[in-house]
Amino acid sequence: MQSDHDALLNTIIANPNDDLPRLVYADFLEENGSDGHAAFIRDQIELANTPDWEPVAVRWRRKSLEEQAGDRWRDSLPWANAWNPRFPFRRGLGYAIKTQIVQHLIDYGDALFASAPIGELHLPGGSMQEYEQLAQQDWLPRVQSVRFWTLTTPTEPVRALSASPLSTGVRAVHFEKASSPGMSFLVERLFQSPLGRQLRELTFRVGDGSQLDLVEALESGGETQLQKLAFDNMGFDSPAVERLGQSRVLSTLRSLSFSRMFFSDVHLDAIQAARLHRVQQLVFHDIGLRSQRTDLLVPLANRVRFPSLRHLDFSRSYGFREQIPPLIRKLQVGLRSLNLSGIRLGEGTIGELTRSEFWPYLVELNLNENALDDGAARELRNATPPRELVTLDLRGNPDLSETIVTQLQSRYGPSVII
């Protein structure tokens, strides 16, 4: 006879996109003494329905990595040895699995998908025969996200999934290594298939060379519906980034991210000239900027071009120190989250920040590792704290005196992290 617990789980598995059965399950857990587990499920449901720059999401990021990953509840996952991604949970239950051998997923997939609302697969390389078999599995329509972690071009997986009429649920594809030969041809084939045209999220990591062919391949299937696009350590040269800036792919984006790359003024000008009027999240993480100009970011503050911008990240990027003050003076109301960690801002820049139009509306401000002294900290101390501020991160600023630290803690309360 099926227990109440199993019946609730089966309802969730049968309706993986519905939050209500998960909330009912959380109530059941709480009624049976698992308050912590119930709270984790409710928190993750709320998180999944909240933009990254709003208070709920910012408070979640203040938790430890172990809490965010749900390590305490990992043993509750069925087939626990299969749930090996760092973040296996989404909306409170098992979501992501990683396999080392494609055949294992084929052999045990029915049981795995019957035990949890799985929606993300981390896939290795494999033969065309294996992936053609995987592409015929009855559970494939439930897969929403695919992450290729193989060190070789995932030609066989992409071909098989692109040709499968069962890949109807996939909305996100992540390439963990995009420098392999033939990558641009693979992406071109992807976007010429129904799978490519239904994608909402795409990530490329670790690439070299021009990448011009790769950028052009994004448009090979005509109009796309991409909302998130990320390039990590891709080594774009000027022609590639200029072509990207002209791409119609950018017109639908909500999030655009660049990490671990070198930029020149040509790169930055091309990105800021792009059709990014829907972008809410713009990330330049660990970017080395090579330019003698100090006005490079002024176009970024043009609200006609970026009216929806809510989260802006320049973390660990160097060469931007002189670019930030003009940007701050221009940015208007709307920005909610600003990450300026590791840029080594001066005292005057902090004053500009606290007098900016967007300051009263900030939810998150990261000034970690900026070599701030007491003079810069006084600008923060004298300012009126933003009403919804959740996090003011001042860690990694060892020159702050105990006196000013105490004053900041008194002024900002639990929001400040020092």
Side-chain angles (χ1 to χ4, degrees):
M1 182 176 178
Q2 190 179 54
S3 68
D4 291 343
H5 178 273
D6 291 342
L8 288 170
L9 274 181
N10 287 336
T11 301
I12 293 171
I13 293 166
N15 303 275
N17 297 320
D18 190 351
D19 287 335
L20 182 58
R22 296 171 189 254
L23 292 171
V24 173
Y25 180 57
D27 292 343
F28 171 85
L29 291 175
E30 186 174 49
E31 291 167 1
N32 286 273
S34 298
D35 296 13
H37 197 179
F40 175 74
I41 293 172
R42 294 184 187 118
D43 287 348
Q44 278 221 320
I45 290 173
E46 188 176 17
L47 182 68
N49 294 308
T50 304
D52 287 346
W53 49 86
E54 292 301 329
V56 167
V58 177
R59 277 192 289 271
W60 182 265
R61 287 197 292 274
R62 290 194 61 164
K63 297 176 181 286
S64 69
L65 187 62
E66 291 74 22
E67 289 178 293
Q68 292 183 51
D71 286 358
R72 180 180 175 187
W73 317 113
R74 192 174 281 259
D75 287 345
S76 69
L77 294 167
W79 302 73
N81 60 341
W83 304 90
N84 47 11
R86 185 66 184 94
F87 295 92
F89 294 99
R90 187 175 186 273
R91 293 163 56 228
L93 281 89
Y95 179 74
I97 58 174
K98 181 177 181 179
T99 182
Q100 304 286 336
I101 301 173
V102 180
Q103 191 62 48
H104 286 176
L105 189 56
I106 296 169
D107 292 342
Y108 304 111
D110 287 345
L112 279 168
F113 277 81
S115 65
I118 297 170
E120 179 173 277
L121 301 180
H122 295 226
L123 296 173
S127 69
M128 191 64 193
Q129 182 179 3
E130 288 176 317
Y131 270 102
E132 285 177 340
Q133 189 176 354
L134 182 145
Q136 297 172 13
Q137 300 302 306
D138 291 339
W139 42 257
L140 186 58
R142 286 174 46 186
V143 176
Q144 301 175 9
S145 176
V146 179
R147 193 173 297 272
F148 299 112
W149 59 267
T150 174
L151 297 180
T152 58
T153 306
T155 303
E156 292 77 11
V158 171
R159 285 177 59 192
L161 292 175
S162 297
S164 174
L166 300 177
S167 299
T168 53
V170 178
R171 295 294 182 269
V173 170
H174 308 276
F175 295 101
E176 297 295 329
K177 188 175 187 296
S179 62
S180 305
M183 193 67 197
S184 61
F185 296 104
L186 186 63
V187 172
E188 181 176 345
R189 184 166 189 153
L190 172 64
F191 275 90
Q192 289 174 348
S193 72
L195 173 58
R197 289 189 288 273
Q198 72 191 27
L199 288 182
R200 299 294 184 270
E201 185 173 347
L202 188 61
T203 301
F204 297 99
R205 288 193 172 90
V206 190
D208 51 23
S210 165
Q211 306 300 341
L212 178 59
D213 290 343
L214 180 63
V215 170
E216 292 181 338
L218 297 176
E219 292 187 343
S220 59
E223 296 295 329
T224 70
Q225 296 299 316
L226 283 178
Q227 295 182 0
K228 293 184 177 182
L229 181 60
F231 300 98
D232 181 1
N233 196 12
M234 289 298 292
F236 279 11
D237 60 7
S238 296
V241 79
E242 285 183 294
R243 180 66 182 87
L244 178 66
Q246 300 164 4
S247 175
R248 61 177 178 268
V249 169
L250 301 188
S251 64
T252 58
L253 291 186
R254 301 294 192 274
S255 175
L256 178 60
S257 175
F258 300 92
S259 302
R260 297 187 294 169
M261 299 165 68
F262 285 102
F263 275 10
S264 68
D265 48 3
V266 175
H267 290 73
L268 213 52
D269 285 344
I271 293 166
Q272 294 181 114
R275 293 176 292 178
L276 292 169
H277 56 280
R278 296 186 183 183
V279 162
Q280 298 175 302
Q281 195 164 14
L282 190 56
V283 175
F284 300 95
H285 170 71
D286 197 5
I287 300 295
L289 178 62
R290 298 165 173 164
S291 178
Q292 298 300 313
R293 290 167 50 190
T294 60
D295 62 344
L296 281 174
L297 294 180
V298 172
L300 184 58
N302 184 341
R303 304 304 293 181
V304 175
R305 190 175 297 279
F306 294 89
S308 302
L309 192 62
R310 297 294 178 265
H311 173 81
L312 185 57
D313 185 339
F314 289 99
S315 57
R316 304 294 182 268
S317 295
Y318 60 90
F320 282 90
R321 178 174 179 173
E322 303 303 323
Q323 308 289 338
I324 298 300
L327 173 67
I328 289 173
R329 287 192 289 270
K330 295 282 188 177
L331 282 174
Q332 300 174 19
V333 173
L335 196 68
R336 303 280 278 168
S337 175
L338 180 60
N339 191 336
L340 300 174
S341 63
I343 298 182
R344 302 181 71 84
L345 301 171
E347 177 180 339
T349 305
I350 302 301
E352 297 268 12
L353 186 58
T354 60
R355 292 187 292 273
S356 68
E357 290 190 38
F358 60 83
W359 169 262
Y361 306 95
L362 282 178
V363 175
E364 180 179 35
L365 176 61
N366 193 329
L367 297 173
N368 187 7
E369 295 182 11
N370 264 287
L372 299 181
D373 57 17
D374 282 4
R378 288 189 194 98
E379 296 283 359
L380 293 169
R381 180 200 63 189
N382 295 336
T384 300
R387 183 172 58 88
E388 292 187 273
L389 188 70
V390 172
T391 297
L392 172 59
D393 192 340
L394 295 174
R395 291 173 295 179
N397 292 288
D399 294 334
L400 299 180
S401 67
E402 291 186 13
T403 299
I404 198 70
V405 166
T406 300
Q407 293 171 349
L408 288 169
Q409 290 171 331
S410 175
R411 185 69 163 162
Y412 289 90
S415 298
V416 70
I417 308 174
I418 302 182

